[in-house]
Amino acid sequence: MRMNDISLNPLFGRAPQNWSKEIELDLPLWGKSQGLENSIENLERFGASLGVKWDQVKWGQSASSSDLIAAEFSIPISHKQYPKLFIAVAMTKRGDEIQSIRIYHSLWPLKESHQVRPALFSMEQRADVSPLVYDYHQALTEGKTEGFQSLFRDGGSIREPSGDSYIKGGSPAIRDFADAAFSDGGIQIQYHTFVEEAGICAAEYTCYKWGTQNIPPQAGMEFWEIDQHQI
């Protein structure tokens, strides 16, 4: 499965073909839109602000189930340090009709500043995840570098939301990443959606504590590529 331009048509200045009339769209900069007309308008605004063109999209990982589609892609932007913006998308569907679209991306490549995105889900909504993602979640919670590093293959890597400049590849780099991330303790997150297909997993989450600090609940999305029971 690969995300196609039908579901995200307005991002490229085209009319949607399989959106519900009651669709909900949620964007990092513009928040939630309700209904077909408002959602089309805001997704078009988002695309126009980036100058995005369909033939410039580079697709990454994707996975789908009967009611959820998850995909990531990148587009070129005018920034010397961050030449690409990485975007993650989660779509809920009923049959072939898209009911909601949630888009995630870092604001750092666009504004060179961070902005907390409030939680998109109730903390009562919990997703069942695969055994390896559960182990990953436990390693984050415990904040132990050894347990975290052991989940990755020798050639495994981590890419942070800001882009290619923030790829940590290989065991030493992953250890350094974990040491820094866990310097004040574990990271508390809760997964709300989860989808897995052909070795690709994706989940939407809320992060609510980092180390010893309680933080404002903030939304995010993760992807994993699994090979032989390792990341």
Side-chain angles (χ1 to χ4, degrees), residues 99-118:
Q99 303 294 311
S100 64
I101 300 175
R102 295 175 294 277
I103 292 180
Y104 300 83
H105 63 80
S106 171
L107 293 178
W108 192 264
L110 301 177
K111 303 176 66 175
E112 295 193 358
S113 65
H114 292 296
Q115 180 176 312
V116 173
R117 187 179 190 182

Side-chain angles (χ1 to χ4, degrees), residues 11 29 46-53 56-58 73-87 105-112 161-165:
L11 187 61
L29 284 172
F46 176 53
S49 72
L50 299 175
V52 60
K53 297 180 180 178
Q56 295 177 318
V57 173
K58 183 176 180 181
F73 60 94
S74 65
I75 58 172
I77 57 174
S78 299
H79 195 294
K80 291 182 179 180
Q81 185 178 356
Y82 308 100
K84 291 185 286 187
L85 180 68
F86 287 84
I87 299 173
H105 63 80
S106 171
L107 293 178
W108 192 264
L110 301 177
K111 303 176 66 175
E112 295 193 358
S162 296
D164 286 343
S165 300

Side-chain angles (χ1 to χ4, degrees), residues 35-61:
L36 188 60
E37 184 175 341
N38 289 335
S39 298
I40 291 173
E41 180 181 353
N42 278 343
L43 193 54
E44 286 178 341
R45 286 174 60 202
F46 176 53
S49 72
L50 299 175
V52 60
K53 297 180 180 178
W54 172 246
D55 58 5
Q56 295 177 318
V57 173
K58 183 176 180 181
W59 293 101
Q61 309 294 354

Side-chain angles (χ1 to χ4, degrees), residues 7 18-20 64-69 91-99:
S7 298
N18 58 342
W19 285 15
S20 164
S64 67
S65 65
S66 61
D67 59 359
L68 183 65
I69 302 171
M91 299 184 176
T92 59
K93 61 177 182 172
R94 185 180 299 124
D96 293 329
E97 190 174 71
I98 302 298
Q99 303 294 311

Side-chain angles (χ1 to χ4, degrees), residues 149-199:
Q149 185 183 12
S150 69
L151 300 174
F152 290 80
R153 301 186 66 190
D154 289 341
S157 65
I158 297 172
R159 177 178 54 74
E160 296 182 66
S162 296
D164 286 343
S165 300
Y166 292 86
I167 292 178
K168 316 297 182 184
S171 295
I174 289 176
R175 172 174 286 277
D176 291 344
F177 169 87
D179 283 343
F182 302 149
S183 61
D184 191 36
I187 301 170
Q188 310 294 316
I189 65 175
Q190 182 167 305
Y191 294 121
H192 304 290
T193 68
F194 179 77
V195 62
E196 180 176 16
E197 182 183 26

